[in-house]
Amino acid sequence: MQTLDTETTDKTHYLYPGGLFSSAEPHRVTTVLGSCISVCLWDAETRIGGINHYLLPLWNGEGLATPRYGNIAITRLIEKLLLLGCARKSLRAKVFGGASMLENTRGLLAVGERNISLAMSTLAEQRIPVISNDVGGFVGRKIIFDTATGAVLLRRNRGILMPSRTAAEP
């Protein structure tokens, strides 16, 4: 990945799960990911960026449509950046997270894989190129996104693989 220029900004923000962040002012945004995904979007022309942190791929239509869900989080992040003056054709994406935090997860339990698939397909549909990604695997990640430069600092956490339980186990 790239190094962060500490001269760019002294403004920082911690992004909690289910949130998104965008600002015309430069910030360094930190978040920690397991099976969750963060999509970092950046416009090189305006030097404006934004990031989300979603937990599940799809909102089922019940309750509030929050950025806890990938299909909501990515769309809202794009909308916020367009309102800040970014051009859709100038947006570039970096995608992180989607780890499998349990052994032998498949189907609906493979949340990380489903989150990755949703991010990649949604960005492709929106015609936003993914220029970098670090997804999947069995380790969590901590990222720091510089909204002014588009740079991302990545640290992979030690693998803490949780054994899955079978129906016969207590």
Side-chain angles (χ1 to χ4, degrees), residues 109-130:
L109 295 179
V111 176
E113 290 177 20
R114 292 174 37 234
N115 280 341
I116 295 165
S117 179
L118 183 276
M120 299 306 186
S121 64
T122 301
L123 292 165
E125 288 168 11
Q126 296 289 329
R127 294 189 172 96
I128 297 174
V130 176

Side-chain angles (χ1 to χ4, degrees), residues 35-37 55-57 98-99 105 107-116:
S35 60
C36 299
I37 290 280
L55 292 83
L56 298 168
T105 53
L108 290 176
L109 295 179
V111 176
E113 290 177 20
R114 292 174 37 234
N115 280 341
I116 295 165

Side-chain angles (χ1 to χ4, degrees), residues 28-45:
R28 284 188 310 273
V29 184
T30 302
T31 197
V32 178
L33 305 161
S35 60
C36 299
I37 290 280
S38 276
V39 173
C40 303
L41 295 179
W42 188 66
D43 182 332
E45 304 215 1

Side-chain angles (χ1 to χ4, degrees), residues 61-105:
E62 295 180 17
L64 294 174
T66 71
R68 293 174 47 90
Y69 305 99
N71 59 329
I72 305 300
I74 296 171
T75 302
R76 284 200 184 155
L77 182 57
I78 294 168
E79 290 169 355
K80 286 186 171 285
L81 290 173
L82 295 177
L83 288 172
L84 289 172
C86 296
R88 183 184 302 267
K89 67 179 180 175
S90 299
L91 291 176
R92 301 294 178 260
K94 295 181 180 182
V95 181
F96 302 92
S100 178
M101 302 309 284
L102 298 172
E103 288 181 334
N104 302 320
T105 53

